[in-house]
Amino acid sequence: MKFFLCLVLISMAAWVLCDNIDKDAQIQSLVNEAADPEGNFHYAFETSNGIQAQEAGNAQGATGSFNYISPEGEHISLSYTADEEGYHPVGDHLPTSPPIPAEILRSLEYIRAHPPANYQEKK
């Protein structure tokens, strides 16, 4: 499962970079520690065109990150965890949900302060 996740992430990074690929880029560093009997693994690499990736984990989950320059010249940096709860990416370039409008917040506060007569809060 972890191998498949690694393969998917590397494939995604390769797909994102395919339009801006430096065909002469060389691997500058590579660490690949295959899974030990307990399932612990680690890999990291860096290329001459600035791509960096790393991941470490075990049977319970993994953490990692990758960095590269987008075709538009933007520095992309993403870190993530993957565990029994799913894949959790973090990066400034990722979309975020808009803030809740003030009117909605006020409405929710009013409802909380004035519950319906037949409403019983669960404890």
Side-chain angles (χ1 to χ4, degrees), residues 6-118:
C6 293
L7 185 60
V8 168
L9 292 173
I10 291 171
S11 298
M12 284 176 22
W15 178 76
V16 167
L17 298 171
C18 68
D19 288 341
N20 196 29
I21 196 164
D22 178 357
K23 292 180 177 41
D24 297 321
Q26 301 292 315
I27 295 175
Q28 293 181 323
S29 66
L30 173 65
V31 174
N32 187 14
E33 297 172 11
D36 63 20
E38 289 80 38
N40 300 306
F41 70 94
H42 174 255
Y43 77 85
F45 67 87
E46 183 174 352
T47 64
S48 60
N49 62 351
I51 300 169
Q52 299 173 333
Q54 62 181 358
E55 182 174 288
N58 55 37
Q60 286 73 43
T63 60
S65 64
F66 57 87
N67 301 287
Y68 64 93
I69 304 299
S70 75
E72 296 78 28
E74 180 183 4
H75 181 254
I76 303 295
S77 179
L78 186 124
S79 60
Y80 59 88
T81 58
D83 56 25
E84 63 276 353
E85 299 294 321
Y87 177 69
H88 312 281
V90 176
D92 291 340
H93 66 288
L94 296 175
T96 58
S97 56
I100 299 172
E103 297 82 10
I104 300 297
L105 291 174
R106 282 195 306 270
S107 297
L108 293 172
E109 180 57 30
Y110 180 86
I111 293 168
R112 188 196 63 74
H114 302 89
N118 61 354

